[in-house]
Amino acid sequence: MAGLISRETIDAVERTSDIVAIIGEYTKLERRGSNDYWGCCPFHNEKTPSFHVDADKGFYYCFGCHAAGSVVKFIQEKEKLSFTDTIVMLAKRAGIEVVYTGGSVPEKKDNTKELYIELYNRVAGTFHYLLTQDKRGRSALEYITSRGLTQETIEKFKLGYAPADRRWLRTFLKGKNFSDEFLNNSGLFSKKYPDSAFFSDRLMFPIFNRHSQVVAFGGRILHGDGPKYLNSSEMIQYKKGETLFAFNFAKKAIGETRKVIFCEGYMDCIAYHQCGIEYAVAPLGTALTEDQIKLISAFVDTVLLSFDSDSAGQQATLRAILMVRQAGLTCRVIQLKGGKDPAEIMLAYGAETLTNDVNSAILDSDYLLSKIGEEYPVDTPEGKTRAALAYFPYIDSLQSDIQKISCLEQLCQTFSLNPEAVRRDFNNREQAQERVRIRQPQPQENKIRKIKLTSELRAVLAVVTDLTQYSVIRNELTVDDFEDPLAKKIFIALEECYRNDADSLTINGVLSYCDDKELQQLIIQSVADKEFSINTVKIITDSIRLIKRNKLERKKENLMIQLHQLNPASPQNAEIVRALLSEKMDIDKKLQTL
């Protein structure tokens, strides 16, 4: 018999759960009146608070998107849980025993996610013990303390050490009665060699979800060869693009300051926290995603970016600026002085210097104009034109017409440009970009320049520029959708690389699956030229739409040829004609939606 939670339990959960405290974990609430709280709605993006929580009635309502309900409804919607699972979760939080009616038993459900969270928390505790209490972790502890981390920080972030003996973890967990099947699917062991631990002889960084539960790991190499960092693969309890390192520690400070720092990696983020700048978080081995920005957008007004100053870091900064602005948030860039990263500055100069760098962060528009001025010869007409075109994607990302006009004026003032000419080029920027492209010198000996960049080629080359977007194009298209043979080859190389190792999809990996040297050169040159690194998502989205439209148009054209070849007066052809006309109508409907 399926279990039904008693009405008494449900009432106790609804009565005991603090709706203000719970919703306050998802968006910052401000008190207005005795029992009224207001904040930005966590269900849709907004700048002006329209989300109301009535603490007395235990009810919320958004005047913008009209989301409404009790604390149970809120958790159901935000965590995507069933009613029963929501009651159980809130009951556990409030310390209430869940009672079922009429002697019935709870309905059996898949608790795999909870079991893996429990496993990862236990393993994190074990790694932490090995780092802090066991002689095997002594060199790792010496390394991390030499980087300036205090014992308090090590405890707070539950840093650990994975032993060099790859078989140790399997033996240890088997001794705790975990089954082989459960461990094989845990992500903690090699798929090819199940007895061999995925992490070995590495400094371990537990990755927490927003509820401070360990759901994954990052591991830094300490000795020998191999990638500097290894990160857990995605699991039922862990989605990289939807998780931020240290968000569980940072969310209180983020809510209080209405600011967040996105930084490069684990050590940078931890350095900020140790220096008292506790609103820092980091992406997890991938580029910053729209989902990660959405995770913090209800809490903040300003995003500060703290990425490396090298070429890759600058590209990451540019991409992040556009996404942050598209989300309607203010963006500033932290420019570190006296060191290459926050951890180095903390160690060499201390918290005060790092704090000063954060407080001196410049607006993204100033940062971009400075970089553009360094990249283009702005003392020439050609350089001025290219500089303006490079700045236009930023203007496009702004959500306010006043912002757009102000930044166009700033562009004109910075590079001594004629405002009327700039406005004309901005309003006709695609034609302006094409004119500049045509005027650029075309090396005769470079065969790559002779390849026509079709919409299909633009789509796959844009994906190679930002490989995190491959899942997007993969969900929308198949190899049969491509007509351009070169685009088809690149798509096949992407797919083969993805199937063999989705978690380490890299440009080198894609090149290794591409046996056409001319195509390899095209890929390398496209990445080096950064032609598709601006507005990458838009290029891919528009190209997918055009590829789908072209495929439908080709199909429609073939249908029309068949119809013209048939004699509609012939009784034996009448049914075929009707079927072809019906198929043509379906294609026309699909074309209208694209």
Side-chain angles (χ1 to χ4, degrees):
M1 180 180 179
L4 297 174
I5 297 177
S6 69
R7 185 70 249 176
E8 290 77 12
T9 299
I10 295 170
D11 290 342
V13 166
E14 292 181 334
R15 184 174 62 253
T16 307
S17 296
D18 186 338
I19 190 170
V20 174
I22 290 171
I23 293 180
E25 294 182 3
Y26 297 82
T27 188
K28 182 176 174 60
L29 297 174
E30 293 184 358
R31 188 170 186 166
R32 299 181 190 171
S34 57
N35 290 300
D36 290 331
Y37 293 81
W38 291 82
C40 291
C41 180
F43 294 104
H44 78 285
N45 289 330
E46 62 177 6
K47 294 288 286 181
T48 304
S50 64
F51 184 81
H52 174 228
V53 179
D54 188 319
D56 189 38
K57 296 178 181 177
F59 192 82
Y60 68 88
Y61 177 73
C62 176
F63 289 87
C65 69
H66 308 296
S70 66
V71 67
V72 175
K73 176 75 175 299
F74 182 88
I75 293 298
Q76 272 189 273
E77 294 293 326
K78 289 301 294 181
E79 298 293 341
K80 308 301 181 190
L81 298 175
S82 67
F83 177 81
T84 300
D85 289 344
T86 302
I87 294 296
V88 170
M89 173 184 166
L90 290 173
K92 184 177 180 180
R93 176 184 175 121
I96 296 170
E97 181 184 1
V98 178
V99 178
Y100 295 84
T101 61
S104 61
V105 296
E107 185 177 349
K108 189 174 181 179
K109 71 180 185 73
D110 183 1
N111 63 343
T112 305
K113 178 178 178 180
E114 289 76 14
L115 290 174
Y116 279 126
I117 289 175
E118 182 182 340
L119 172 66
Y120 271 71
N121 277 275
R122 176 174 288 196
V123 171
T126 301
F127 286 160
H128 182 64
Y129 174 84
L130 291 173
L131 176 71
T132 58
Q133 306 294 328
D134 192 285
K135 63 180 181 180
R136 284 170 289 184
R138 188 172 299 156
S139 63
L141 184 60
E142 289 172 353
Y143 165 78
I144 202 66
T145 52
S146 73
R147 294 289 304 273
L149 295 196
T150 64
Q151 188 61 40
E152 182 182 2
T153 297
I154 293 169
E155 291 291 335
K156 174 181 175 179
F157 286 88
K158 209 172 186 178
L159 303 185
Y161 171 73
D165 180 358
R166 287 185 174 273
R167 293 179 177 271
W168 181 86
L169 183 61
R170 184 81 175 204
T171 303
F172 173 78
L173 293 176
K174 286 282 288 180
K176 303 296 181 183
N177 297 319
F178 287 102
S179 71
D180 284 325
E181 182 182 4
F182 182 74
L183 294 178
N184 289 345
N185 296 317
S186 68
L188 293 171
F189 300 92
S190 166
K191 292 179 181 178
K192 291 183 179 179
Y193 309 102
D195 288 338
S196 183
F198 184 71
F199 299 101
S200 68
D201 197 23
R202 286 180 179 265
L203 177 67
M204 300 300 292
F205 298 85
I207 297 166
F208 298 87
N209 62 16
R210 66 185 306 142
H211 306 297
S212 295
Q213 298 168 314
V214 181
V215 293
F217 290 105
R220 189 195 191 285
I221 197 168
L222 293 169
H223 307 98
D225 299 324
K228 183 177 179 181
Y229 279 96
L230 278 180
N231 299 290
S232 292
S233 302
E234 293 200 344
M235 290 272 294
I236 187 173
Q237 79 279 6
Y238 172 57
K239 305 297 178 189
K240 288 183 183 179
E242 300 171 8
T243 311
L244 286 166
F245 179 74
F247 180 68
N248 60 309
F249 299 118
K251 61 185 180 183
K252 184 174 183 290
I254 288 172
E256 290 172 350
T257 62
R258 300 294 296 174
K259 294 187 291 189
V260 66
I261 296 173
F262 285 119
C263 49
E264 192 87 8
Y266 308 125
M267 281 299 297
D268 292 346
C269 186
I270 292 172
Y272 275 122
H273 279 256
Q274 183 166 302
C275 290
I277 306 166
E278 296 187 328
Y279 47 90
V281 297
L284 294 155
T286 61
L288 188 64
T289 68
E290 291 180 0
D291 283 333
Q292 289 169 332
I293 292 174
K294 188 175 180 181
L295 180 65
I296 55 86
S297 61
F299 297 88
V300 305
D301 302 314
T302 303
V303 171
L304 296 99
L305 302 176
S306 179
F307 297 132
D308 288 351
S309 57
D310 59 13
S311 176
Q314 289 184 33
Q315 284 300 112
T317 300
L318 172 59
R319 185 172 177 274
I321 286 171
L322 298 182
M323 288 195 295
V324 169
R325 284 297 185 177
Q326 285 163 359
L329 300 169
T330 299
C331 186
R332 290 181 172 271
V333 179
I334 299 171
Q335 296 184 299
L336 301 173
K337 303 176 184 69
K340 64 181 178 61
D341 58 47
E344 187 176 286
I345 291 173
M346 176 191 72
L347 182 61
Y349 303 104
E352 185 177 353
T353 298
L354 192 57
T355 302
N356 288 338
D357 285 345
V358 172
N359 293 337
S360 302
I362 63 173
L363 274 172
D364 51 358
S365 56
D366 295 331
Y367 168 84
L368 289 174
L369 289 172
S370 172
K371 293 299 178 184
I372 289 170
E374 294 171 3
E375 186 171 354
Y376 298 104
V378 291
D379 55 344
T380 68
E382 182 71 17
K384 289 178 185 288
T385 303
R386 294 179 67 192
L389 291 174
Y391 193 61
F392 286 166
Y394 172 72
I395 305 290
D396 281 327
S397 72
L398 300 173
Q399 301 300 296
S400 159
D401 286 342
I402 294 175
Q403 287 179 320
K404 290 176 188 285
I405 293 169
S406 297
C407 286
L408 280 173
E409 290 174 352
Q410 185 184 13
L411 170 67
C412 295
Q413 292 168 3
T414 303
F415 300 130
S416 301
L417 306 177
N418 180 278
E420 280 298 319
V422 169
R423 275 194 289 271
R424 282 196 301 271
D425 272 0
F426 177 69
N427 292 330
N428 301 282
R429 47 198 173 281
E430 290 185 5
Q431 294 93 319
Q433 287 167 341
E434 182 65 16
R435 289 197 300 272
V436 170
R437 187 189 67 78
I438 290 170
R439 286 200 299 268
Q440 289 176 352
Q442 306 291 313
Q444 292 300 311
E445 69 278 5
N446 191 345
K447 295 182 180 180
I448 298 304
R449 293 295 185 185
K450 296 181 181 179
I451 294 176
K452 182 182 178 182
L453 286 180
T454 63
S455 58
E456 296 179 1
L457 256 181
R458 287 174 63 82
V460 292
L461 289 173
V463 168
V464 172
T465 300
D466 180 6
L467 290 166
T468 63
Q469 295 297 317
Y470 180 59
S471 59
V472 175
I473 198 170
R474 188 175 190 261
N475 291 336
E476 295 287 341
L477 302 173
T478 68
V479 68
D480 295 329
D481 293 323
F482 290 87
E483 191 175 35
D484 186 317
L486 296 180
K488 185 175 288 191
K489 284 185 178 181
I490 295 176
F491 185 86
I492 291 171
L494 282 161
E495 179 63 16
E496 288 180 353
C497 187
Y498 180 87
R499 287 184 179 181
N500 279 276
D501 198 347
D503 288 315
S504 51
L505 190 62
T506 63
I507 292 173
N508 286 334
V510 175
L511 290 171
S512 70
Y513 286 100
C514 182
D515 56 4
D516 185 326
K517 289 188 177 180
E518 188 178 20
L519 206 53
Q520 288 177 346
Q521 190 179 348
L522 174 64
I523 292 170
I524 293 167
Q525 187 168 320
S526 296
V527 173
D529 287 349
K530 305 176 184 176
E531 185 175 356
F532 302 100
S533 61
I534 298 175
N535 275 353
T536 307
V537 174
K538 187 176 188 301
I539 290 171
I540 293 170
T541 304
D542 290 348
S543 297
I544 288 173
R545 188 182 299 114
L546 189 55
I547 291 168
K548 287 183 174 181
R549 173 173 280 277
N550 289 343
K551 183 182 180 182
L552 289 170
E553 291 285 5
R554 292 196 300 271
K555 193 172 182 181
K556 180 180 175 179
E557 185 178 346
N558 289 333
L559 286 176
M560 296 304 295
I561 292 171
Q562 292 179 59
L563 283 168
H564 285 133
Q565 291 174 345
L566 290 171
N567 179 6
S570 171
Q572 59 265 39
N573 289 340
E575 187 63 34
I576 298 174
V577 169
R578 280 197 295 272
L580 292 174
L581 287 172
S582 175
E583 190 173 357
K584 177 184 173 296
M585 288 177 64
D586 289 338
I587 291 174
D588 286 335
K589 288 179 182 177
K590 291 177 181 177
L591 284 169
Q592 289 175 3
T593 64
L594 292 174

PDB file of all heavy atoms in Angstrom, residues 261-277:
ATOM      1  N   ILE A 261      31.511  38.035  -6.811  1.00  0.00           N
ATOM      2  CA  ILE A 261      32.739  37.962  -7.618  1.00  0.00           C
ATOM      3  C   ILE A 261      32.779  36.592  -8.282  1.00  0.00           C
ATOM      4  O   ILE A 261      32.686  35.562  -7.604  1.00  0.00           O
ATOM      5  CB  ILE A 261      33.998  38.139  -6.749  1.00  0.00           C
ATOM      6  CG1 ILE A 261      34.038  39.529  -6.118  1.00  0.00           C
ATOM      7  CG2 ILE A 261      35.259  37.913  -7.582  1.00  0.00           C
ATOM      8  CD1 ILE A 261      35.172  39.710  -5.115  1.00  0.00           C
ATOM      9  N   PHE A 262      32.905  36.567  -9.590  1.00  0.00           N
ATOM     10  CA  PHE A 262      33.187  35.333 -10.320  1.00  0.00           C
ATOM     11  C   PHE A 262      34.690  35.289 -10.564  1.00  0.00           C
ATOM     12  O   PHE A 262      35.250  36.189 -11.194  1.00  0.00           O
ATOM     13  CB  PHE A 262      32.458  35.291 -11.662  1.00  0.00           C
ATOM     14  CG  PHE A 262      30.990  35.022 -11.560  1.00  0.00           C
ATOM     15  CD1 PHE A 262      30.064  35.944 -12.023  1.00  0.00           C
ATOM     16  CD2 PHE A 262      30.523  33.851 -10.997  1.00  0.00           C
ATOM     17  CE1 PHE A 262      28.720  35.700 -11.943  1.00  0.00           C
ATOM     18  CE2 PHE A 262      29.163  33.591 -10.898  1.00  0.00           C
ATOM     19  CZ  PHE A 262      28.257  34.518 -11.374  1.00  0.00           C
ATOM     20  N   CYS A 263      35.349  34.245 -10.046  1.00  0.00           N
ATOM     21  CA  CYS A 263      36.800  34.158 -10.220  1.00  0.00           C
ATOM     22  C   CYS A 263      37.182  32.856 -10.911  1.00  0.00           C
ATOM     23  O   CYS A 263      36.329  32.014 -11.205  1.00  0.00           O
ATOM     24  CB  CYS A 263      37.526  34.348  -8.896  1.00  0.00           C
ATOM     25  SG  CYS A 263      36.920  33.360  -7.547  1.00  0.00           S
ATOM     26  N   GLU A 264      38.482  32.698 -11.147  1.00  0.00           N
ATOM     27  CA  GLU A 264      38.969  31.661 -12.051  1.00  0.00           C
ATOM     28  C   GLU A 264      38.821  30.243 -11.498  1.00  0.00           C
ATOM     29  O   GLU A 264      38.403  29.341 -12.210  1.00  0.00           O
ATOM     30  CB  GLU A 264      40.434  31.937 -12.384  1.00  0.00           C
ATOM     31  CG  GLU A 264      40.983  31.118 -13.527  1.00  0.00           C
ATOM     32  CD  GLU A 264      40.728  31.761 -14.881  1.00  0.00           C
ATOM     33  OE1 GLU A 264      40.269  32.899 -14.948  1.00  0.00           O
ATOM     34  OE2 GLU A 264      40.991  31.089 -15.891  1.00  0.00           O
ATOM     35  N   GLY A 265      39.206  30.020 -10.243  1.00  0.00           N
ATOM     36  CA  GLY A 265      39.210  28.648  -9.757  1.00  0.00           C
ATOM     37  C   GLY A 265      39.126  28.554  -8.252  1.00  0.00           C
ATOM     38  O   GLY A 265      38.893  29.548  -7.552  1.00  0.00           O
ATOM     39  N   TYR A 266      39.335  27.332  -7.750  1.00  0.00           N
ATOM     40  CA  TYR A 266      39.161  27.050  -6.327  1.00  0.00           C
ATOM     41  C   TYR A 266      40.051  27.917  -5.444  1.00  0.00           C
ATOM     42  O   TYR A 266      39.584  28.553  -4.499  1.00  0.00           O
ATOM     43  CB  TYR A 266      39.471  25.573  -6.044  1.00  0.00           C
ATOM     44  CG  TYR A 266      38.736  24.583  -6.903  1.00  0.00           C
ATOM     45  CD1 TYR A 266      39.426  23.627  -7.648  1.00  0.00           C
ATOM     46  CD2 TYR A 266      37.341  24.588  -6.979  1.00  0.00           C
ATOM     47  CE1 TYR A 266      38.760  22.706  -8.432  1.00  0.00           C
ATOM     48  CE2 TYR A 266      36.667  23.667  -7.764  1.00  0.00           C
ATOM     49  CZ  TYR A 266      37.380  22.731  -8.493  1.00  0.00           C
ATOM     50  OH  TYR A 266      36.722  21.833  -9.266  1.00  0.00           O
ATOM     51  N   MET A 267      41.354  27.949  -5.738  1.00  0.00           N
ATOM     52  CA  MET A 267      42.294  28.670  -4.871  1.00  0.00           C
ATOM     53  C   MET A 267      42.016  30.167  -4.865  1.00  0.00           C
ATOM     54  O   MET A 267      42.117  30.814  -3.816  1.00  0.00           O
ATOM     55  CB  MET A 267      43.733  28.397  -5.309  1.00  0.00           C
ATOM     56  CG  MET A 267      44.282  27.062  -4.840  1.00  0.00           C
ATOM     57  SD  MET A 267      44.329  26.908  -3.032  1.00  0.00           S
ATOM     58  CE  MET A 267      45.479  28.208  -2.611  1.00  0.00           C
ATOM     59  N   ASP A 268      41.679  30.732  -6.033  1.00  0.00           N
ATOM     60  CA  ASP A 268      41.353  32.159  -6.092  1.00  0.00           C
ATOM     61  C   ASP A 268      40.145  32.466  -5.220  1.00  0.00           C
ATOM     62  O   ASP A 268      40.130  33.439  -4.452  1.00  0.00           O
ATOM     63  CB  ASP A 268      41.061  32.576  -7.534  1.00  0.00           C
ATOM     64  CG  ASP A 268      42.297  32.516  -8.414  1.00  0.00           C
ATOM     65  OD1 ASP A 268      43.403  32.413  -7.861  1.00  0.00           O
ATOM     66  OD2 ASP A 268      42.163  32.578  -9.645  1.00  0.00           O
ATOM     67  N   CYS A 269      39.146  31.625  -5.336  1.00  0.00           N
ATOM     68  CA  CYS A 269      37.912  31.822  -4.570  1.00  0.00           C
ATOM     69  C   CYS A 269      38.183  31.721  -3.067  1.00  0.00           C
ATOM     70  O   CYS A 269      37.725  32.557  -2.275  1.00  0.00           O
ATOM     71  CB  CYS A 269      36.886  30.780  -5.014  1.00  0.00           C
ATOM     72  SG  CYS A 269      35.254  30.997  -4.290  1.00  0.00           S
ATOM     73  N   ILE A 270      38.945  30.720  -2.671  1.00  0.00           N
ATOM     74  CA  ILE A 270      39.263  30.526  -1.248  1.00  0.00           C
ATOM     75  C   ILE A 270      40.082  31.695  -0.718  1.00  0.00           C
ATOM     76  O   ILE A 270      39.883  32.150   0.417  1.00  0.00           O
ATOM     77  CB  ILE A 270      39.998  29.185  -1.046  1.00  0.00           C
ATOM     78  CG1 ILE A 270      39.037  28.014  -1.326  1.00  0.00           C
ATOM     79  CG2 ILE A 270      40.561  29.068   0.367  1.00  0.00           C
ATOM     80  CD1 ILE A 270      39.702  26.656  -1.341  1.00  0.00           C
ATOM     81  N   ALA A 271      41.014  32.219  -1.535  1.00  0.00           N
ATOM     82  CA  ALA A 271      41.823  33.363  -1.111  1.00  0.00           C
ATOM     83  C   ALA A 271      40.939  34.567  -0.817  1.00  0.00           C
ATOM     84  O   ALA A 271      41.144  35.271   0.189  1.00  0.00           O
ATOM     85  CB  ALA A 271      42.847  33.710  -2.189  1.00  0.00           C
ATOM     86  N   TYR A 272      39.967  34.825  -1.667  1.00  0.00           N
ATOM     87  CA  TYR A 272      39.042  35.931  -1.418  1.00  0.00           C
ATOM     88  C   TYR A 272      38.325  35.741  -0.082  1.00  0.00           C
ATOM     89  O   TYR A 272      38.216  36.666   0.729  1.00  0.00           O
ATOM     90  CB  TYR A 272      38.016  36.035  -2.544  1.00  0.00           C
ATOM     91  CG  TYR A 272      38.472  36.834  -3.739  1.00  0.00           C
ATOM     92  CD1 TYR A 272      38.509  36.269  -5.013  1.00  0.00           C
ATOM     93  CD2 TYR A 272      38.850  38.160  -3.604  1.00  0.00           C
ATOM     94  CE1 TYR A 272      38.927  37.005  -6.119  1.00  0.00           C
ATOM     95  CE2 TYR A 272      39.258  38.910  -4.702  1.00  0.00           C
ATOM     96  CZ  TYR A 272      39.295  38.329  -5.957  1.00  0.00           C
ATOM     97  OH  TYR A 272      39.706  39.066  -7.043  1.00  0.00           O
ATOM     98  N   HIS A 273      37.830  34.528   0.165  1.00  0.00           N
ATOM     99  CA  HIS A 273      37.098  34.263   1.410  1.00  0.00           C
ATOM    100  C   HIS A 273      37.997  34.457   2.622  1.00  0.00           C
ATOM    101  O   HIS A 273      37.589  35.048   3.626  1.00  0.00           O
ATOM    102  CB  HIS A 273      36.521  32.843   1.389  1.00  0.00           C
ATOM    103  CG  HIS A 273      35.242  32.737   0.627  1.00  0.00           C
ATOM    104  ND1 HIS A 273      34.020  32.640   1.230  1.00  0.00           N
ATOM    105  CD2 HIS A 273      34.998  32.754  -0.712  1.00  0.00           C
ATOM    106  CE1 HIS A 273      33.069  32.566   0.312  1.00  0.00           C
ATOM    107  NE2 HIS A 273      33.642  32.630  -0.881  1.00  0.00           N
ATOM    108  N   GLN A 274      39.233  33.959   2.549  1.00  0.00           N
ATOM    109  CA  GLN A 274      40.133  34.088   3.690  1.00  0.00           C
ATOM    110  C   GLN A 274      40.458  35.557   3.978  1.00  0.00           C
ATOM    111  O   GLN A 274      40.692  35.938   5.136  1.00  0.00           O
ATOM    112  CB  GLN A 274      41.428  33.307   3.455  1.00  0.00           C
ATOM    113  CG  GLN A 274      42.385  33.357   4.653  1.00  0.00           C
ATOM    114  CD  GLN A 274      43.493  32.334   4.571  1.00  0.00           C
ATOM    115  OE1 GLN A 274      43.243  31.134   4.478  1.00  0.00           O
ATOM    116  NE2 GLN A 274      44.740  32.787   4.596  1.00  0.00           N
ATOM    117  N   CYS A 275      40.430  36.391   2.944  1.00  0.00           N
ATOM    118  CA  CYS A 275      40.699  37.824   3.119  1.00  0.00           C
ATOM    119  C   CYS A 275      39.447  38.601   3.510  1.00  0.00           C
ATOM    120  O   CYS A 275      39.467  39.837   3.524  1.00  0.00           O
ATOM    121  CB  CYS A 275      41.301  38.396   1.838  1.00  0.00           C
ATOM    122  SG  CYS A 275      42.976  37.813   1.517  1.00  0.00           S
ATOM    123  N   GLY A 276      38.368  37.889   3.834  1.00  0.00           N
ATOM    124  CA  GLY A 276      37.148  38.543   4.290  1.00  0.00           C
ATOM    125  C   GLY A 276      36.225  38.989   3.185  1.00  0.00           C
ATOM    126  O   GLY A 276      35.194  39.618   3.444  1.00  0.00           O
ATOM    127  N   ILE A 277      36.566  38.679   1.952  1.00  0.00           N
ATOM    128  CA  ILE A 277      35.710  39.023   0.804  1.00  0.00           C
ATOM    129  C   ILE A 277      34.902  37.773   0.489  1.00  0.00           C
ATOM    130  O   ILE A 277      35.279  36.955  -0.363  1.00  0.00           O
ATOM    131  CB  ILE A 277      36.574  39.478  -0.397  1.00  0.00           C
ATOM    132  CG1 ILE A 277      37.509  40.605   0.035  1.00  0.00           C
ATOM    133  CG2 ILE A 277      35.698  39.953  -1.553  1.00  0.00           C
ATOM    134  CD1 ILE A 277      38.624  40.890  -0.949  1.00  0.00           C
TER     135      ILE A 277
END
